Structures are given as structure tokens and as C-alpha cells.
Amino acid sequence: MPAPMRAAPQALVQALIPALVLALACCGVPGVAAAQAALRIFAIDSKPIGFVERGHATGFTVELARQIQQRIGRSDAIQLIPWARANTIAMSEPNVLLLSVVRTPEREQRLVFVGPIFIAHISAFALKGRGAELRALGDGIYKLRGGARRGSVFAQRARFYGYNVMDEPANSMAAARMLMSKRFDLWFDSEELVGPALEMAGYSRDDVELVKQLSVDDAYLAFSKGTAPETVRAWDAALREMKRDGSFQRLHQYWLPQVALPVDARQHGRPMP
């Protein structure tokens, strides 16, 4: 008789665990919220945001995601794949996280945003020495052949402002090579990514010049529709805590030292030593 009496409370506890987990998750407890379906996490392959070094993924958003996962008790794999492919998956499947996405009205219909995490300066670039020549064309500049990463907000912004985007390479490094080989006249990308892309392609930031800045946008973490709300809340809470304790500022300073912090991160103290 004593054994069954001991077993009964154990069975009761086991039966109550799912309800307890759900209740805590709904209250926004990060560690519990993370105990949901595994996320497919995709980073863009653009240094310093995300790239492979010595066979391992690293970069600002990759390390940010790792620190957040440590806080919420998860270790979902982070993959670097072409942006167009990652975006297609996120638009059609749940439990997908894109590690850096510029927020647009079209994307708000299909993605849930957490952040911001950094500021992107989307601009048009040309070969060194051609800036004045191209600006002097007036409206003729919109007829020039342009290039931007496939499926990116860079291509979207350029087309919105009337530019002729004819080439869409898979990544910023490929775009850098195409500009340097004169495959197109204007390269549309983020100012934060242009220098590293040129270096990885074997060139220098001084080989190109800024022609015109198109927009300044906040970039976010973005979850696909259908991802559990408690998972999104867990990531949001952990990111907010990182901004409060200064660890986010420290990471941002390391990877993006020349880029201003997002507004909400400027409101808190100095980075942790």
C-alpha cells in the first residue's frame, strides 16, 4: 500500500508539468518559453553580420543569437545560407528565425520582428572616381545597370527609387566582384557590408565610392509566422535584458564599432567590461 501512495503524487506531478510549462511560458518566463519546437536559424553570409571563419559561423548576429540562446537555455543550430533561400523558407514555414532583416510593410505581413539590433545604411556605390560623373547624369542615372543581392531589401529599395536593378548575385562578395569587373555601374548594398565584401573579394573599400544614400533602416531579428508566441517572447525578453545589462552594447561595439547603436540600446548604461 505505501508504494502506490508514493506513486500517485509522482503521477500527478507528471500530469501537471505540461500545464505548468504552458502557464509559465504565457507569463513570459524566457527559459520556459524556449522549451518549444526547435528553430531553424539562418544568418546572412555577409561579414561582419555573419560569415564563416576557420570552418565556424561567427559575426555580429551569429554571436548575438548564441548569447540569447545561452540565456534561454537553447542551442538550436545557426546556418549561413543565401538570403533568397532563407527568405523563401521563412515565408512558407513556421519556426524559422532570420537573424537580420530590415523591416518593411510587406515583410510585416509574413514575419514577426524582435529588436532592433543594428542600423543599416542602404546606399548606391560605384567604382572609385565615377561618383561625380554618375551624379551629373541627372535622371539618366536611373537608366544605368545596377546590381544588388538577390531578393534583398537593397534591390527592393533601389527599384522603389527608380533605379534599374538588372543583376542579383547571391551575396555581397559576388556583387563586389561584379562591380569591379564592370558588369554593372551601380551596386546597392549596406554601407556596413561593402568594405568587408570588397576585402573578401580581393579588393579594398577605397576601390569604390558612395554615390548616394537611399535610406537608413533598423534591422531586426525576424520570426516566421506560425512560430510559437512564447518563443518570440523569450528571445525578445533576453534581447531586452542584454541591452539593459550592457552585454548587447559590448557585442555591437566589437563587431560594428563605427555604427551607431539602435535608439533603445543608447538609453542604457555603458557596455560591460
Side-chain angles (χ1 to χ4, degrees), residues 2 125 173 177 191:
F125 299 86
M173 182 175 67
R177 286 177 174 154
E191 293 180 29

Side-chain angles (χ1 to χ4, degrees), residues 183-265:
R183 294 275 299 278
F184 46 72
D185 300 291
L186 291 171
W187 171 23
F188 301 95
D189 212 308
S190 167
E191 293 180 29
E192 294 71 33
L193 306 181
V194 164
L198 284 160
E199 292 171 6
M200 293 178 72
Y203 301 97
S204 164
R205 174 64 180 81
D206 292 336
D207 291 326
V208 305
E209 63 177 284
L210 176 68
V211 176
K212 183 178 178 59
Q213 187 175 91
L214 305 187
S215 65
V216 179
D217 301 271
D218 286 327
Y220 293 77
L221 303 174
F223 296 82
S224 61
K225 292 289 187 180
T227 302
E230 53 268 29
T231 297
V232 178
R233 286 196 294 267
W235 280 73
D236 180 65
L239 177 59
R240 290 176 185 274
E241 183 59 30
M242 287 185 68
K243 290 178 178 178
R244 282 192 293 269
D245 66 27
S247 53
F248 173 86
Q249 290 86 335
R250 181 185 180 189
L251 195 65
H252 190 282
Q253 174 65 23
Y254 180 84
W255 290 105
L256 299 167
Q258 306 302 320
V259 182
L261 286 162
V263 172
D264 64 339

Side-chain angles (χ1 to χ4, degrees), residues 108-132:
E108 286 178 347
Q109 299 176 21
R110 306 292 296 273
L111 299 169
V112 179
F113 294 89
V114 166
I117 58 172
F118 70 90
I119 299 171
H121 298 77
I122 300 173
S123 302
F125 299 86
L127 291 174
K128 185 73 172 181
R130 294 202 66 199

Side-chain angles (χ1 to χ4, degrees), residues 16-108:
L16 289 175
I17 285 176
L20 179 61
V21 169
L22 179 60
L24 291 173
C26 290
C27 292
V29 179
V32 176
Q36 304 297 316
L39 283 174
R40 299 177 68 187
I41 305 177
F42 299 127
I44 65 167
D45 188 5
S46 289
K47 191 176 183 179
I49 303 304
F51 61 102
V52 174
E53 185 174 68
R54 298 187 181 93
H56 298 283
T58 189
F60 173 64
T61 60
V62 174
E63 300 305 329
L64 176 62
R66 284 179 176 148
Q67 289 195 25
I68 290 176
Q69 291 206 90
Q70 288 176 0
R71 290 174 181 244
I72 65 177
R74 293 302 299 258
S75 57
D76 296 316
I78 300 171
Q79 302 177 60
L80 273 71
I81 65 174
W83 162 252
R85 179 183 166 202
N87 186 54
T88 298
I89 295 172
M91 291 300 177
S92 60
E93 300 179 20
N95 301 313
V96 176
L97 169 57
L98 304 178
L99 290 184
S100 57
V101 177
V102 168
R103 194 168 186 163
T104 67
E106 296 81 8
R107 290 173 175 175
E108 286 178 347

